[in-house]
Amino acid sequence: QHALNSGIRRYHVSSALCQRAKVAMSHFEPNEYINYEKLEKNINIVRKRLDRPLTLSEKIVYGHLDDPAKQEIERGKTYLRLRPDRVAMQDATAQMAMLQFISSGLPKVAVPSTIHCDHLIEAQSGGEKDLRRAKDINQEVYNFLATAGAKYGVGFWKPGSGIIHQIILENYSYPGVMLIGTDSHTPNGGGLGGICIGVGGADAVDVMAGIPWELKCPKVIGVKLTGKLSGWTSPKDVILKVAGILTVKGGTGAIIEYHGPGVDSISCTGMATICNMGAEIGATTSIFPYNARMKKYLGKTGRADIAALADEFKQHLVPDSGCQYDQVIEINLSELKPHINGPFTPDLAHPVSDIGAVAEKEGWPVDIRVGLIGSCTNSSYEDMGRSAAVAKQALAHGLKCKSKFTITPGSEQIRATIERDGYAKTLREVGGLVLANACGPCIGQWDRKDIKKGEKNTIVTSYNRNFTGRNDANPETHAFVTSPEIVTALSIAGTLKFNPETDYLTGADGKKFKLEAPDADELPKLEFDPGQDTYQYPPKDGSGQHVDVSPTSQRLQLLEPFDKWDGKDLEDMLILIKVKGKCTTDHISAAGPWLKFRGHLDNISNNLLIGAINIENGKANSVRNALTQEFGPVPDTARYYKKMGVKWAVIGDENYGEGSSREHAALEPRHLGGRVIITKSFARIHETNLKKQGLLPLTFADPADYNKIHPVDKLSIVGLKDFAPGKPLKCIIKHPNGSQETIMLNHTFNESQIEWFQAGSALNRMKELQQKSS
């Protein structure tokens, strides 16, 4: 009887596991299944090896190891070889990613992958008109992405579908998933308990090619949340506060893991907001533990079967009791106040109650010209509802926005649902303009007409970034980042000097009133309205599909392999530019009007480093040509050096390459003859992108050596014949007066990354390995 019962129990367990294994990752991919059993197996192997409690981040990352039994694991030091579950690409970065995949010669992607058309739609007149215009202007690019997706087995979300990260949250992210995306705000998916990491296109190609993906083993920073959100305080205030604590580079090399009793007071989309903006502190990604708020969201978005499966494996989707973090920050949500960060950097944190006085003291314009809500960070149903709740109060007292006001829905599903439920109508009535379901002004896709370039002004947004000139290409625009409801309240008041918690407005009847803290449903009472069908399934067999890239196209260009390393040291390199201060990927490869060239490497290289400040003259896009002694634009000077066969280097400051994941910031210097980038420190994604394209990202062993190099010097990198992991390289600085000095440079290359450099690029190395195996 005991044997029989044991057999029956084993049969039921086996049947249950079999049934669990048949839960699809997404209803768009019914034959691609969630594999929690493999996750569990890998976690158990690693747990036994490490013999300690694991953080949630470790469980999911190590649960995706290619070789969990033998992989060396040391936080912050070793490189992990991982097998992500899927890939997502937005249209601006997908062009180069797909061009690289085409160049690889592989017939089809090895993991589920999607393309999302959200970056190329410029905000101008309003949603429908702007979308029609974008489809017309970008027809060639959209056709390329659609046909490439069909040929290589990639799902295609058409323009108007929505912002990549909102689409992922609604359809693809789930607890325990490992997803990589060619956009720095991919961590948005951590709001559903996934490890979602932003990368460059070459990294995505590795995963799509079925090659183990390399990531430096992340440290884990724990953020313990206690108390409960209430009143005007929102999830956005959590990450604004954390950004103020950690700064734009404080999370570099680490995963931010939120935990503690306060987590349960935050909605699933609120958790996504917090994870999304974790990119602004340099974090590898951010994550929340699986809980009832995620289960509720999964159910409302048609994925109750995933929630049921996650319930069965919940012990692997939360941190172990007693796990250790490399650093712990504690935030009491009950004491947290509404924040607003900026201008010019997302880590300059201020309580909303203080910003008016700070602005007056600093000479920042206090009158708000435009308030903008939405973006991949804050465009959920709850965000729109809370903003509408503020707007409704103003309308009840006869008020509209004093500032211009725009609304960006995160997806077609959100747009359709807020139209049905009246939120969009309320926001229009208070003076708002509803834009297309796209990135729009958040990434500089904004045809702004209310000011002239160079005019000093202030805008407030619910976006994630506020670097100089990012939203409207005007370096004098002071952009501040806050929650959608605070943006709405400030837009009604028209000034930074308004604190909705304490200050009064004057209604149309002359009577004073105070705005009440907004309250709104986190999810619609009815089901979401899906809106228009905007998804293109890849055919089962795309081998007959033709992908067009015209040789005369100004927007698309097939890639040519970069040259291999010649086996010699890099001698007598000129310095293209020594950068002063902050240098983001926006400075290295500007977006805005340049987005149209993201598929044409030679054309987009004309924006190389045009936003970086040259330490020699304090100007942007003006550098000395060392061969002619004339000052000119950075790209022109680089092209001249390339024409003359002269290699060159860039000298950078702290956290060089922070911001977007755009690998064009690495492709462009490589294309124009650059060989080395030497800085005090790098942002993670950019450093990896440089390595992937065969460049040498190096850091000063002594940061003070930054001051020893002058723009007129020549540099030689010595020791490349013995290039090895952990072994510093020498840099010989030759000054114009004939003197020279030697400094030491560090690097983070491992063995395979050194092979990328030697082969000329990671893609070249992939091809070499394919040829050997065949």
Side-chain angles (χ1 to χ4, degrees):
Q1 185 65 47
H2 176 74
L4 180 62
N5 287 341
S6 296
I8 291 171
R9 184 178 64 81
R10 284 197 301 271
Y11 170 76
H12 281 304
V13 170
S14 177
S15 297
L17 288 175
C18 183
Q19 186 177 0
R20 289 169 185 161
K22 292 300 181 183
V23 174
M25 285 189 200
S26 167
H27 64 269
F28 289 105
E29 296 145 359
N31 297 317
E32 298 287 350
Y33 304 114
I34 295 173
N35 194 346
Y36 280 149
E37 288 82 5
K38 183 178 179 182
L39 184 75
E40 181 177 59
K41 180 181 177 183
N42 286 1
I43 290 171
N44 289 338
I45 292 170
V46 173
R47 190 196 304 281
K48 187 175 180 180
R49 287 180 55 201
L50 299 181
D51 192 28
R52 62 172 172 78
L54 300 176
T55 66
L56 171 59
S57 308
E58 290 181 305
K59 287 181 180 181
I60 301 177
V61 171
Y62 304 160
H64 285 83
L65 285 170
D66 183 50
D67 186 357
K70 297 179 181 178
Q71 169 72 63
E72 188 179 355
I73 299 170
E74 188 175 356
R75 285 186 195 168
K77 292 189 177 180
T78 60
Y79 277 86
L80 307 178
R81 290 164 64 84
L82 300 163
R83 292 284 186 177
D85 297 302
R86 63 180 310 117
V87 172
M89 300 167 279
Q90 43 94 335
D91 51 354
T93 50
Q95 295 172 63
M96 197 56 68
M98 292 309 296
L99 285 165
Q100 289 178 86
F101 189 81
I102 290 169
S103 182
S104 76
L106 295 169
K108 190 175 182 179
V109 296
V111 301
S113 304
T114 50
I115 293 169
H116 304 258
C117 295
D118 63 357
H119 271 58
L120 300 179
I121 302 169
E122 185 179 47
Q124 191 179 70
S125 306
E128 290 185 11
K129 290 182 180 178
D130 292 346
L131 181 57
R132 284 199 301 270
R133 180 168 171 265
K135 287 180 177 178
D136 180 51
I137 292 173
N138 303 308
Q139 183 180 11
E140 179 186 15
V141 171
Y142 291 148
N143 178 64
F144 165 72
L145 293 174
T147 54
K151 185 173 183 64
Y152 297 105
V154 179
F156 180 69
W157 287 86
K158 301 172 187 175
S161 302
I163 304 172
I164 178 173
H165 311 303
Q166 184 69 27
I167 297 290
I168 289 171
L169 200 71
E170 292 172 353
N171 300 282
Y172 297 116
S173 186
Y174 60 82
V177 70
M178 175 173 275
L179 179 152
I180 70 164
T182 60
D183 189 276
S184 55
H185 292 102
T186 301
N188 191 79
L192 255 179
I195 289 290
C196 303
I197 302 176
V199 299
D203 274 349
V205 172
D206 278 356
V207 180
M208 291 191 293
I211 296 172
W213 172 61
E214 290 192 351
L215 175 72
K216 195 170 193 178
C217 187
K219 293 183 178 181
V220 187
I221 297 174
V223 178
K224 184 179 181 181
L225 302 179
T226 60
K228 185 179 180 180
L229 287 177
S230 62
W232 283 92
T233 306
S234 73
K236 187 66 166 280
D237 297 306
V238 176
I239 186 58
L240 293 175
K241 178 71 173 178
V242 171
I245 295 169
L246 289 177
T247 77
V248 291
K249 64 174 185 174
T252 303
I255 294 175
I256 312 298
E257 184 172 312
Y258 294 87
H259 62 284
V263 165
D264 292 335
S265 75
I266 305 174
S267 67
C268 177
T269 52
M271 289 187 265
T273 290
I274 294 167
C275 291
N276 177 294
M277 200 176 155
E280 272 37 85
I281 54 177
T284 301
T285 192
S286 301
I287 192 170
F288 278 83
Y290 176 60
N291 67 359
R293 306 299 280 267
M294 295 183 191
K295 181 175 182 177
K296 186 176 180 181
Y297 183 80
L298 285 167
K300 203 66 172 179
T301 52
R303 295 175 287 170
D305 55 344
I306 294 180
L309 186 64
D311 285 341
E312 294 289 335
F313 286 86
K314 187 172 181 179
Q315 73 271 25
H316 302 304
L317 306 174
V318 296
D320 286 342
S321 176
C323 67
Q324 297 296 308
Y325 297 100
D326 294 283
Q327 178 183 349
V328 176
I329 297 167
E330 187 165 335
I331 296 175
N332 185 338
L333 300 179
S334 300
E335 298 175 355
L336 185 63
K337 288 292 185 180
H339 272 61
I340 183 168
N341 288 21
F344 305 126
T345 185
D347 60 342
L348 186 57
H350 321 272
V352 171
S353 56
D354 296 346
I355 189 61
V358 173
E360 287 190 322
K361 180 183 175 182
E362 298 292 338
W364 303 332
V366 295
D367 291 337
I368 298 167
R369 297 296 290 267
V370 190
L372 307 99
I373 66 169
S375 86
C376 66
T377 319
N378 278 109
S379 56
S380 68
Y381 185 82
E382 181 182 34
D383 289 328
M384 295 298 163
R386 284 173 69 87
S387 294
V390 175
K392 199 169 184 179
Q393 295 179 62
L395 290 168
H397 289 84
L399 296 186
K400 291 191 175 185
C401 290
K402 287 185 178 179
S403 311
K404 290 182 179 292
F405 185 49
T406 71
I407 302 98
T408 304
S411 67
E412 171 60 9
Q413 179 168 277
I414 293 296
R415 183 208 63 78
T417 306
I418 66 171
E419 288 287 359
R420 181 196 68 194
D421 294 352
Y423 291 167
K425 182 174 183 289
T426 299
L427 294 170
R428 286 193 189 96
E429 287 176 348
V430 84
L433 174 67
V434 178
L435 301 174
N437 316 320
C439 299
C442 182
I443 60 160
Q445 285 285 53
W446 185 14
D447 185 20
R448 190 177 180 190
K449 302 291 189 184
D450 64 299
I451 60 159
K452 295 178 180 179
K453 191 168 183 178
E455 183 180 342
K456 196 173 180 180
N457 75 104
T458 283
I459 64 174
V460 291
T461 82
S462 70
Y463 301 165
N464 41 48
R465 283 192 183 135
N466 57 349
F467 301 140
T468 302
R470 176 174 174 86
N471 303 122
D472 61 2
N474 180 10
E476 290 300 323
T477 293
H478 293 56
F480 295 85
V481 176
T482 185
S483 68
E485 52 266 48
I486 293 293
V487 172
T488 307
L490 293 179
S491 299
I492 292 164
T495 175
L496 289 176
K497 296 170 72 174
F498 178 70
N499 177 11
E501 287 191 301
T502 58
D503 296 344
Y504 287 78
L505 293 168
T506 303
D509 58 3
K511 295 180 180 179
K512 292 188 177 295
F513 72 97
K514 198 168 88 169
L515 293 170
E516 298 295 326
D519 186 32
D521 295 330
E522 67 179 276
L523 295 165
K525 289 184 172 65
L526 301 174
E527 297 304 311
F528 276 109
D529 183 339
Q532 299 178 39
D533 181 8
T534 55
Y535 180 71
Q536 172 186 294
Y537 288 86
K540 289 183 179 179
D541 181 7
S543 59
Q545 181 72 49
H546 183 67
V547 181
D548 283 327
V549 178
S550 169
T552 59
S553 173
Q554 292 302 300
R555 297 196 61 176
L556 296 167
Q557 181 186 46
L558 292 173
L559 297 174
E560 295 291 333
F562 290 131
D563 59 302
K564 291 184 66 172
W565 175 55
D566 61 8
K568 301 176 182 178
D569 287 336
L570 296 169
E571 297 182 346
D572 291 335
M573 289 182 294
L574 299 179
I575 296 171
L576 177 66
I577 183 173
K578 181 178 179 182
V579 177
K580 179 182 178 182
K582 185 185 283 284
C583 189
T584 71
T585 48
D586 279 12
H587 295 91
I588 304 167
S589 176
W594 292 95
L595 281 171
K596 62 178 173 285
F597 297 126
R598 283 285 182 88
H600 198 293
L601 179 55
D602 194 57
N603 281 347
I604 199 169
S605 293
N606 289 322
N607 75 1
L608 175 65
L609 285 158
I610 61 175
I613 301 301
N614 178 12
I615 199 169
E616 186 175 7
N617 57 12
K619 295 180 180 180
N621 202 26
S622 175
V623 294
R624 182 194 301 271
N625 185 319
L627 301 180
T628 67
Q629 296 304 310
E630 296 177 354
F631 278 85
V634 183
D636 293 358
T637 307
R639 286 186 186 278
Y640 186 84
Y641 291 163
K642 181 180 181 180
K643 179 182 176 182
M644 302 304 292
V646 176
K647 296 180 176 67
W648 50 263
V650 170
I651 309 301
D653 212 316
E654 293 276 7
N655 207 32
Y656 184 88
E658 71 174 273
S660 167
S661 70
R662 68 192 71 159
E663 65 181 340
H664 298 76
L667 284 158
E668 293 174 32
R670 183 73 166 96
H671 175 63
L672 294 185
R675 299 304 296 166
V676 180
I677 313 292
I678 306 172
T679 71
K680 295 179 182 177
S681 62
F682 285 98
R684 174 190 64 85
I685 299 176
H686 186 60
E687 182 180 23
T688 301
N689 286 345
L690 291 168
K691 292 177 182 177
K692 287 278 184 177
Q693 303 307 333
L695 283 145
L696 282 176
L698 306 172
T699 55
F700 296 103
D702 180 357
D705 287 345
Y706 169 87
N707 298 315
K708 293 181 178 179
I709 298 179
H710 305 287
V712 292
D713 294 337
K714 291 183 178 181
L715 305 178
S716 295
I717 305 299
V718 179
L720 290 176
K721 291 180 181 179
D722 300 315
F723 196 12
K727 185 176 182 180
L729 293 168
K730 289 182 180 179
C731 176
I732 299 173
I733 307 168
K734 297 180 181 179
H735 302 300
N737 63 6
S739 65
Q740 63 182 45
E741 53 189 315
T742 300
I743 62 173
M744 300 306 294
L745 301 174
N746 293 330
H747 64 85
T748 60
F749 281 80
N750 62 19
E751 289 180 2
S752 63
Q753 293 169 351
I754 289 173
E755 290 177 357
W756 299 345
F757 168 73
Q758 293 169 339
S761 71
L763 185 59
N764 288 359
R765 182 58 179 157
M766 181 197 298
K767 290 179 180 178
E768 287 178 357
L769 293 172
Q770 285 174 352
Q771 289 169 358
K772 285 181 180 179
S773 66
S774 61

